[in-house]
Amino acid sequence: MFDQACVMELINALRNELGTAYVLVDQDTLPWSKDWMGVYHWSPLAVVRPSDTHEVSKVVQLCNAHNVAMVPVGGNTGLTGATQAQDAVMISLDRLNEIHRIDPDAMTAVVGAGAILHNIHEAADAHDLIFPLYFGARGSAMIGGNLSTNAGGSNVLRYGNTRDLCLGLEVVLPDGAIMDVMSELHKDNSGLNLKHLFIGGEGTLGIITAAVLKLYPKPLAYATAMVGLRDLRSALPLLNRLQRETGSGVEAFEFMPRRYIERHLQKTDGAIEPFEGAHEINILVEIATTRSTDLEPETDGTPRLTAILERSLADMIENDAAQDAVIAQNENQRRTMWERREAAAEITLGEKSSVDTDVAVSLSNVPVFLERISPIVAEIDPTGQEFYIAHLGDGNLHYTYFASSDDLGLRDQVMEAIENVVLELGGSFSAEHGIGTSKLNSMARRKNPAALALMQKIKASFDPKNLMNPGKVYPTENG
Ligand SMILES: Cc1cc2nc3c(=O)[nH]c(=O)nc-3n(C[C@H](O)[C@H](O)[C@H](O)COP(=O)(O)OP(=O)(O)OC[C@H]3O[C@@H](n4cnc5c(N)ncnc54)[C@H](O)[C@@H]3O)c2cc1C
């Protein structure tokens, strides 16, 4: 419990530093007092909105001097309860939202941590470039949050995850020191590459205030299709064939089972079936090109890129390796395909007894995982129901189990069974959403003990008072 006088003293000091309008308390903190899913609720001591790195540093120094916990927050779209801030000061980066500079020749962007992902996309687009990190929450998630969760999304198979898209960082450390490693270099072996500790660090080691990002040439054209398969094992041959024929031009390869399609149809106004008939395995595939020769029409007038996709799919259908395919004929049809895929979080929102996981296995083990886990969970909870979707091109499955009751013991059993199968297959229990608080038990049970102990030592040496987003990522003895 806090000494109220100490809290008031801190709040007054924060107001002096930032101005009263940027130190929110009581009712004004409500928009920040729950997570996106509405699963976690908390009451922060205050939400502060510094305007620049120096103000972030001042805030951190004040919280540190008053021994008050701090929780950095961006768009608050994280899915693991990592911004819970009971009795802590939340430090919102939303005012550090500037896109400082785009260097079109070096293909880099220098941005503030509060820049919204969609705005970075727009800024890059103005130079015919892309920042290739795409997922449903891009309209509110901020780059500081993307980096801190090392977000993945739909294009990891071509461009890597956020870690791969970052050249440099500026970070305010837990004592308020400003660490400037805003390198624009592709090569820099001057000691440990410290930025990687903060990427995926979920705000537990420091607060990212700015970043240097890699940009890529904007594709001149996309060819996007929905493909219906009978067997998930036919998916990888399709992916590999398209990679070969397009010079590794596959941008996204996403898997939606029939149950997903049905739920999307039920829950989304205006949703349409992807095909005339129903298929168990539905793949959204997108290829892209930056070469103008790929736009040249073939004899029937079809641009070369689309023709490659058409030929591969027609050939697979003829050989019974695929059952159906629909190629988007215009941007509207492409958007419809993507909207179906990107509705995943919304259409599962509010399912009370769901066991949510975000696992990774090697690409060829995705079908093996599903074959093994189904009978196991059915035995634990025969009236529960599986629900999943996958970034199949990188082996990341969002496997959810709608348990038949809210019983914690039952849900834990399901979770442990999933972890068991994932580890048997050499996978990870956390592919892209991070640990936050929701995966602390998995972290305690499944992370290699030596790796976990080293992480805890790093945390203690950066943040000896445990004030920077405490209670997240590193399990304690109590879980
Ligand atoms: C509809 C939907 C779809 C999604 N799809 C995907 C997906 O495909 N792939 C994926 O990886 N994720 C996905 N997510 C999860 C989420 O959007 C990402 O994790 C995103 O990167 C979080 O960004 P944010 O700004 O909202 O961070 P927040 O939720 O605000 O914070 C997340 C974590 O980062 C820390 N943090 C935030 N800003 C900073 C900072 N500046 N410095 C240090 N720490 C900070 C917070 O303390 C917290 O630990 C999805 C979420 C939703 C709601």
Side-chain angles (χ1 to χ4, degrees):
M1 209 47 210
F2 277 104
D3 171 355
Q4 275 312 313
C6 170
V7 170
M8 269 327 292
E9 186 187 290
L10 171 62
I11 287 175
N12 285 333
L14 290 168
R15 284 179 173 147
N16 279 340
E17 212 48 68
L18 306 186
T20 308
Y22 298 113
V23 180
L24 311 178
V25 292
D26 302 327
Q27 293 295 305
D28 291 340
T29 65
L30 281 180
W32 284 270
S33 60
K34 62 175 194 292
D35 71 322
W36 185 86
M37 301 170 294
V39 171
Y40 302 100
H41 294 81
W42 59 87
S43 306
L45 294 176
V47 176
V48 298
R49 300 177 57 221
S51 66
D52 62 21
T53 303
H54 288 281
E55 285 195 355
V56 174
S57 164
K58 269 287 168 200
V59 167
V60 170
Q61 287 173 46
L62 284 170
C63 290
N64 193 319
H66 288 80
N67 293 318
V68 166
M70 303 158 249
V71 177
V73 61
N76 204 20
T77 66
L79 299 174
T80 63
T83 52
Q84 285 184 77
Q86 186 60 42
D87 297 330
V89 168
M90 292 183 86
I91 303 176
S92 169
L93 280 299
D94 66 325
R95 292 176 70 212
L96 279 72
N97 55 6
E98 240 180 287
I99 294 168
H100 297 287
R101 184 158 54 84
I102 296 216
D103 181 339
D105 294 328
M107 293 201 279
T108 53
V110 179
V111 300
I116 290 180
L117 183 55
H118 174 72
N119 295 345
I120 300 176
H121 291 157
E122 302 259 282
D125 189 73
H127 297 272
D128 278 336
L129 295 169
I130 55 166
F131 177 60
L133 174 67
Y134 298 100
F135 53 82
R138 61 185 169 274
S140 27
M142 297 175 192
I143 192 66
N146 307 151
L147 286 157
S148 300
T149 54
N150 186 26
S154 307
N155 297 71
V156 169
L157 86 161
R158 180 144 196 202
Y159 302 99
N161 46 28
T162 315
R163 187 183 298 286
D164 303 301
L165 300 173
C166 176
L167 291 174
L169 284 185
E170 179 186 71
V171 182
V172 173
L173 300 175
D175 62 359
I178 299 170
M179 187 184 81
D180 179 349
V181 285
M182 287 287 282
S183 165
E184 299 187 26
L185 307 177
H186 289 265
K187 287 183 169 180
D188 179 4
N189 279 350
S190 55
L192 302 182
N193 196 334
L194 293 173
K195 72 170 184 274
H196 287 302
L197 287 174
F198 300 91
I199 301 174
E202 300 184 45
T204 61
L205 301 181
I207 302 182
I208 296 171
T209 45
V212 184
L213 306 174
K214 281 192 216 170
L215 305 177
Y216 285 81
K218 181 180 167 182
L220 294 173
Y222 293 95
T224 311
M226 288 294 303
V227 187
L229 304 175
R230 200 176 294 129
D231 179 357
L232 195 50
R233 285 191 163 76
S234 313
L236 284 191
L238 168 64
L239 171 62
N240 295 338
R241 174 178 181 153
L242 290 172
Q243 291 288 38
R244 272 194 301 273
E245 293 187 11
T246 58
S248 299
V250 180
E251 297 259 319
F253 199 76
E254 302 283 311
F255 162 42
M256 291 160 272
R258 181 65 198 161
R259 189 169 283 164
Y260 178 91
I261 303 289
E262 282 166 1
R263 192 174 175 97
H264 179 245
L265 290 166
Q266 275 164 21
K267 298 260 174 183
T268 314
D269 287 344
I272 54 168
E273 285 275 6
F275 306 101
E276 275 178 20
H279 298 284
E280 253 338 287
I281 313 290
N282 303 269
I283 304 287
L284 166 59
V285 60
E286 182 156 277
I287 59 179
T289 186
T290 54
R291 284 188 301 244
S292 53
T293 47
D294 286 339
L295 306 188
E296 285 166 10
E298 304 229 320
T299 41
D300 66 352
T302 310
R304 186 169 174 269
L305 184 77
T306 312
I308 291 173
L309 188 58
E310 266 178 15
R311 267 197 300 273
S312 301
L313 295 176
D315 198 38
M316 285 190 73
I317 291 172
E318 204 171 300
N319 292 313
D320 206 30
Q323 272 53 63
D324 215 339
V326 175
I327 297 181
Q329 297 302 316
N330 52 45
E331 184 56 25
N332 265 353
Q333 290 181 3
R334 174 178 176 238
R335 279 276 26 107
T336 302
M337 290 179 184
W338 273 110
E339 277 161 14
R340 179 183 297 118
R341 168 59 188 90
E342 290 185 341
E346 275 95 352
I347 66 175
T348 49
L349 205 59
E351 274 296 334
K352 266 191 156 171
S353 345
S354 71
V355 180
D356 295 313
T357 72
D358 163 36
V359 305
V361 290
S362 67
L363 302 200
S364 38
N365 271 332
V366 173
V368 182
F369 169 80
L370 292 171
E371 282 156 15
R372 282 198 198 168
I373 194 63
S374 288
I376 298 174
V377 285
E379 197 173 330
I380 297 171
D381 182 13
T383 51
Q385 202 181 58
E386 303 182 290
F387 189 79
Y388 49 82
I389 186 159
H391 300 298
L392 189 59
D394 60 45
N396 174 193
L397 269 147
H398 297 304
Y399 181 90
T400 298
Y401 198 74
F402 298 139
S404 59
S405 90
D406 229 359
D407 179 74
L408 271 182
L410 175 76
R411 290 162 64 190
D412 262 355
Q413 245 184 304
V414 172
M415 180 65 94
E416 288 216 42
I418 296 168
E419 289 169 9
N420 282 339
V421 175
V422 165
L423 291 200
E424 269 166 34
L425 297 173
S428 166
F429 58 86
S430 176
E432 63 174 9
H433 294 160
I435 303 300
T437 53
S438 67
K439 291 194 211 121
L440 283 170
N441 286 339
S442 306
M443 190 75 165
R445 285 193 289 255
R446 307 297 181 174
K447 193 73 195 173
N448 172 274
L452 191 51
L454 186 56
M455 285 189 209
Q456 280 158 334
K457 274 191 203 154
I458 291 170
K459 166 70 175 166
S461 78
F462 274 59
D463 182 19
K465 293 185 181 176
N466 192 25
L467 295 176
M468 194 55 83
N469 208 3
K472 322 289 161 48
V473 182
Y474 319 96
T476 59
E477 268 161 31
N478 308 323

